[in-house]
Amino acid sequence: MGLTIAQKIIKAHLVEGEMLAGNEIALKIDQTLTQDATGTMAYLEFETMGIDRVRTEKSVAYIDHNTLQSGFENADDHRYIQSVCKKHGIYFSRPGNGICHQVHLERFGIPGKTLIGSDSHTPTGGGIGMLAMGAGGLDVAVAMGGGAYHITMPKMYKVNLTGKLNDFVTAKDVSLEILRILSVKGGVGAIIEWGGEGVKTLSVPERATITNMGTELGATTSIFPSDEITREFLAAQGRERDYVELSSDADAEYDKIIDINLSELKPLIACPHSPDNVVTVESLKGTKVDQVCIGSCTNSSLFDMLKVAALLKGKIISPFVSLSVSPGSKQVLSMLSSCGALTDILASGARLLECACGPCIGMGFSPNSGGVSLRTFNRNFEGRSGTADGQVYLVSPETAVAAALTGYITDPRELGFMPKVEMPEKFKIDDSAVIEPASVEEAANLEVLRGPNIKKFPDSFPQENTLKAPLILKVGDNITTDHIMPAGAKILPYRSNIPHLSQYCFGVCDTTFPERAKKAGRSIIVGGSNYGQGSSREHAALVPLYLGVRAVITKSFARIHIANLINAGIMPLTFKNPDDYDKLNQGDELELTDIYAGMDSGEIKLRNVSTGEEYILNCSFTERQKAILKAGSLLAYTKEIGE
Ligand code: MIC
Ligand code: SF4
C-alpha cells in the first residue's frame, strides 16, 4: 500500500511504535520552536533536565506574544529566555522580528522535517510540507534534549481541491469552509492532507493560512505537498537548498476524503464565539462593525498585506471603525515599507501595530463593550479579545477591508475590482534580529539571568491507588484553554508565576473556582466533549494542578491538552456512558478506587459518594503514560528513568 505525505515523514522519523492509527508512536524531532508565553516554562523545564546543549537540528525561541513589557515581569522573562538560548544552543528571535509561525515559515522551516512548537499553530509549517505539530512546553523541552515526541498515530484525511479561487474569495474562506464541514472536533485524531489539482493554484502563504487554521479542527496537523511552488518560495527566501519534493503515493489510503471546489466558494465568516460557527458574509450584510483587526499568524504574510494595501489605496476607512494592521514579520513590514504599500495602509486611517500577536491574544486593541470586531485571526473564543462581551467574527483580509471601509459587514465582492498582487521573486533577507547561540566553549562560562517573576514549578503528586475528592467544577462542551487559563494583557506577564496565574483560573466560567479549589485541597473537574481545545498552553494543566485538581473527567479531550494533563500528573478520564455526565452535580463527593488495576484494564470505577451511584470511566493509558502518572509528572518520570 502506498503512503500519504505524513506517513512518509512519520516513517522516516519513527523511533518507537507501529504506524497503525490509534497506536502510540514516538518520533524523532528535527526542529523546535517556542514563543515567550509558553517559552519561559519550557526552558525552565529544559534546564531541570540538566542537558548542556540542545540536540535538535535547529531550535528557535521567539518573542512575539507579550511584547508590551508593561512592567519588569516580561522584560525579565525575555532576558531569561535570551540568556538560556545563548547558553544552550538555541536561536533567539528578538521582539519585533515577528510572529513565530510566520518567521519560522520564512526563515527556518524545511519540507519533510519534523517540528514541534509550544504553540498550537505550529502546523503553519505544513504549508511547506513539514510535519509540524503543537505540543506542551514540557514535550518541547524533552525534544530539545533529544528525546522523542510521543503521539497517537493519527488517521489520514484528505481534502481534494479542484477549481480555482475567485477574486475576493481566499485561503481563509477555504479554512472556514472546512471548519463548517468538520466542526472544531472534526479533525481530532487525524492529519489533514491537502491535495488535488486545486493545490497548484495556491501560493505558500495561502497554504500556510490553511494549515495554520487546521488547528481549529482539533487535527494533529495539516500538510500540503512540497512542489514547484514550495521550491519557488524557498528560492525567493534564499533557501532553495532546503527544498525537497514531497507528494503522496497514488495508491495511498485515506480514512476520509472531502471534496472542495475552490471555484464554488463564497466569502465566509465565523460568528461568535467559535471558529466553526460559519455562515456566508452576504448573509450578515449590514451588521454594524466597531473594530477591524488585520494580522495574526493566520493572515499576516506579505501576500495578505499587499492585498490589504491595494484595496485600501486612495480610500479612507469609516469614521466609526478603528482598524489595526499588524504585519507578521520584520521581513513583511520592511518590504511593505520599501514598496510604498505601508503608506497606502497608513493613509487610509489604519493603526499600525507591532509585528507580533497583539490583539489576537488580547494584548491591547480590545473592542468596546459589546463591540463587533472583525478579525483575520483564527480564534474567536469568548473573552479572548479582552472584552468579556466583545463579539468577535473571523474573516479574510478582503472581508476585513470591506468592513473597515463601509463600517458594516460587507461582502468584499462589492468592492468591485480586485487588484492583482504578485509574490516577489526575492524576499528581503535580513536575519539580524535572530541572535545566534554561543559556541560550546563560550557557553560554559555564560550565566542564565533570572528575575523575581520566575516562581517555583508546582509540586507533582504521584498517582495513588484511590482518589477521594469533591467535584469542584462542572463545565459543558468545547471548553477551551482560554476558559481554563485565560491570557490577555493583564495575565500574560505572569506565565512563569503559577501562584499568581491561579487567581484567574476558569475566571470566564466561575470566578469563585480558585478559592474553592484551594480550600478543597484536592479536587476533580467534570467537563463535556472536546475539553481543552485551542491553545497548547501547559498552564491550563499546571495551574489546576497547583490548585489541587487531581483528575478531569469528560466526554472527550482535545489532543494537546490531554497530553499536558498527563505530563502534569493529572488523570484524564472519560465517561464510558456519556449520559453519566448528566448524573453528576457540582459539589458531589466522588471516589475513584483501585486506580492501578483500572489503568491496566482500561476501566476505572467512579463512586458518587453523595448519591451512592456508580459509573464506569474509560482510560486507555500506554505503559509510558501510566508510569508518568505514577511518578507524578513527566519531569519526575524522566528523572526516574534517567533519560
Ligand atoms: C493562542 O493562540 O492561544 C496562543 C496564545 O498562541 C497559544 C499559546 C499560549 O497560550 O501561549 C497557542 O495557540 O498554543
Ligand atoms: Fe499568536 Fe494569535 Fe497566532 Fe496564537 S493564534 S500564535 S496568539 S497570532
Side-chain angles (χ1 to χ4, degrees):
M1 190 184 84
L3 297 178
T4 68
I5 303 172
Q7 285 166 340
K8 288 184 187 183
I9 305 179
I10 291 173
K11 194 171 168 201
H13 290 83
L14 195 67
V15 284
E16 242 175 71
E18 239 190 298
M19 285 175 49
L20 283 177
N23 275 14
E24 189 177 65
I25 54 166
L27 296 175
K28 177 184 172 296
I29 296 302
D30 302 320
Q31 297 191 345
T32 63
L33 71 79
T34 57
Q35 38 90 338
D36 51 312
T38 52
T40 310
M41 203 48 89
Y43 293 113
L44 287 169
E45 289 158 345
F46 176 76
E47 282 192 290
T48 327
M49 288 162 34
I51 291 167
D52 285 345
R53 214 168 169 83
V54 287
R55 297 182 180 152
T56 45
E57 291 173 13
K58 181 140 282 165
S59 287
V60 190
Y62 296 90
I63 306 291
D64 54 359
H65 277 59
N66 187 1
T67 51
L68 292 185
Q69 304 184 323
S70 48
F72 71 91
E73 293 86 355
N74 259 111
D76 281 5
D77 282 5
H78 296 172
R79 191 182 57 156
Y80 162 73
I81 295 177
Q82 182 165 353
S83 66
V84 167
C85 289
K86 195 88 191 156
K87 189 171 176 67
H88 295 290
I90 301 145
Y91 289 76
F92 178 77
S93 170
R94 307 176 70 157
N97 193 42
I99 307 175
C100 53
H101 309 303
Q102 175 65 27
V103 178
H104 207 85
L105 190 79
E106 291 168 356
R107 306 303 308 139
F108 300 110
I110 300 180
K113 297 275 182 191
T114 51
L115 163 72
I116 65 168
S118 59
D119 192 282
S120 63
H121 291 101
T122 306
T124 312
I128 52 168
M130 285 195 101
L131 190 77
M133 293 165 284
L138 188 45
D139 281 323
V140 176
V142 169
M144 285 191 286
Y149 178 49
H150 292 78
I151 55 165
T152 306
M153 178 69 196
K155 291 180 277 186
M156 299 289 143
Y157 291 178
K158 181 169 187 183
V159 185
N160 215 4
L161 294 177
T162 51
K164 188 175 183 312
L165 291 170
N166 289 313
D167 281 353
F168 295 106
V169 186
T170 70
K172 182 59 160 280
D173 301 301
V174 179
S175 297
L176 294 173
E177 173 68 359
I178 190 75
L179 273 154
R180 192 187 63 75
I181 298 172
L182 286 178
S183 89
V184 290
K185 295 185 261 189
V188 175
I191 291 184
I192 301 184
E193 179 180 313
W194 292 77
E197 278 302 296
V199 159
K200 293 194 195 120
T201 68
L202 298 173
S203 63
V204 164
E206 289 171 299
R207 295 173 181 190
T209 293
I210 293 172
T211 54
N212 172 287
M213 234 182 138
T215 297
E216 270 49 66
L217 299 162
T220 304
T221 189
S222 305
I223 194 162
F224 272 81
S226 172
D227 57 10
E228 199 40 34
I229 292 168
T230 323
R231 194 193 58 74
E232 276 167 23
F233 174 81
L234 290 171
Q237 289 286 356
R239 303 201 289 124
E240 195 170 358
R241 63 181 183 283
D242 289 337
Y243 173 69
V244 285
E245 196 191 325
L246 272 177
S247 58
S248 55
D249 292 330
D251 56 346
E253 281 180 14
Y254 296 89
D255 299 277
K256 192 181 268 188
I257 297 187
I258 297 158
D259 293 308
I260 296 182
N261 183 344
L262 297 171
S263 316
E264 283 172 4
L265 289 183
K266 290 181 172 177
L268 297 172
I269 182 166
C271 304
H273 297 286
S274 181
D276 61 359
N277 200 359
V278 174
V279 298
T280 60
V281 175
E282 61 191 349
S283 70
L284 295 185
K285 182 182 163 134
T287 308
K288 201 173 162 330
V289 173
D290 300 291
Q291 182 192 66
V292 174
C293 305
I294 300 178
S296 93
C297 56
T298 319
N299 279 121
S300 60
S301 65
L302 181 67
F303 180 67
D304 284 328
M305 293 294 156
L306 287 174
K307 287 191 297 179
V308 167
L311 289 169
L312 287 174
K313 189 177 171 116
K315 299 189 182 132
I316 301 288
I317 59 170
S318 156
F320 305 106
V321 172
S322 79
L323 167 66
S324 74
V325 176
S326 3
S329 68
K330 191 173 114 179
Q331 181 182 75
V332 174
L333 178 57
S334 59
M335 289 181 76
L336 279 179
S337 121
S338 41
C339 73
L342 185 60
T343 313
D344 298 330
I345 293 177
L346 295 177
S348 74
R351 283 171 59 183
L352 181 70
L353 305 184
E354 205 178 359
C355 304
C357 301
C360 178
I361 191 59
M363 295 304 293
F365 223 78
S366 299
N368 53 287
S369 298
V372 169
S373 178
L374 259 60
R375 302 178 160 211
T376 66
F377 306 167
N378 47 38
R379 292 186 170 151
N380 57 350
F381 303 147
E382 197 174 358
R384 181 176 163 99
S385 65
T387 300
D389 60 358
Q391 304 295 310
V392 177
Y393 294 76
L394 306 175
V395 296
S396 70
E398 281 80 337
T399 305
V401 171
L405 291 173
T406 61
Y408 297 92
I409 294 182
T410 304
D411 189 320
R413 292 172 295 183
E414 288 181 26
L415 294 178
F417 171 70
M418 182 67 212
K420 185 124 188 71
V421 167
E422 299 282 359
M423 290 287 286
E425 256 170 49
K426 281 267 164 285
F427 287 96
K428 186 168 170 196
I429 292 151
D430 169 10
D431 291 330
S432 57
V434 178
I435 300 176
E436 294 201 3
S439 66
V440 178
E441 301 74 50
E442 226 190 304
N445 302 316
L446 291 177
E447 198 198 328
V448 171
L449 308 168
R450 278 165 239 277
N453 190 38
I454 296 181
K455 291 282 183 291
K456 197 177 147 275
F457 203 73
D459 292 330
S460 46
F461 298 89
Q463 186 57 59
E464 290 168 359
N465 199 25
T466 312
L467 172 65
K468 196 163 179 211
L471 194 177
I472 197 81
L473 184 73
K474 186 176 175 189
V475 287
D477 288 344
N478 292 326
I479 287 295
T480 71
T481 49
D482 276 291
H483 289 104
I484 306 171
M485 197 51 253
K490 289 192 200 98
I491 310 179
L492 219 46
Y494 298 97
R495 279 289 180 91
S496 51
N497 186 341
I498 300 285
H500 183 91
L501 277 186
S502 70
Q503 305 168 54
Y504 303 95
C505 188
F506 274 109
V508 189
C509 307
D510 176 356
T511 48
T512 67
F513 169 75
E515 258 331 292
R516 291 192 296 107
K518 252 202 202 145
K519 218 160 136 208
R522 48 166 65 188
S523 57
I524 297 175
I525 290 176
V526 166
S529 57
N530 201 24
Y531 180 91
Q533 68 157 327
S535 150
S536 67
R537 59 190 75 149
E538 59 189 335
H539 304 76
L542 292 175
V543 172
L545 172 73
Y546 172 81
L547 289 172
V549 175
R550 297 284 176 268
V552 181
I553 306 170
T554 67
K555 293 185 189 169
S556 68
F557 289 94
R559 180 186 74 91
I560 306 178
H561 188 59
I562 196 171
N564 285 340
L565 286 174
I566 295 173
N567 288 352
I570 298 180
M571 235 188 338
L573 301 162
T574 51
F575 292 104
K576 181 166 188 184
N577 174 4
D579 295 341
D580 290 343
Y581 167 88
D582 299 318
K583 299 182 189 145
L584 294 172
N585 293 308
Q586 192 162 307
D588 286 351
E589 194 61 31
L590 305 181
E591 190 176 30
L592 296 163
T593 43
D594 260 338
I595 294 178
Y596 296 162
M599 280 179 166
D600 289 335
S601 70
E603 290 188 353
I604 293 183
K605 212 186 291 159
L606 169 70
R607 208 166 84 81
N608 187 339
V609 181
S610 305
T611 61
E613 286 183 344
E614 285 192 351
Y615 324 98
I616 302 291
L617 304 175
N618 284 336
C619 58
S620 52
F621 302 128
T622 61
E623 291 306 319
R624 187 181 136 270
Q625 291 170 331
K626 283 183 224 167
I628 294 173
L629 289 168
K630 285 183 185 164
S633 70
L634 176 58
L635 267 186
Y637 166 75
T638 313
K639 275 192 203 143
E640 243 176 51
I641 62 167
E643 230 180 52

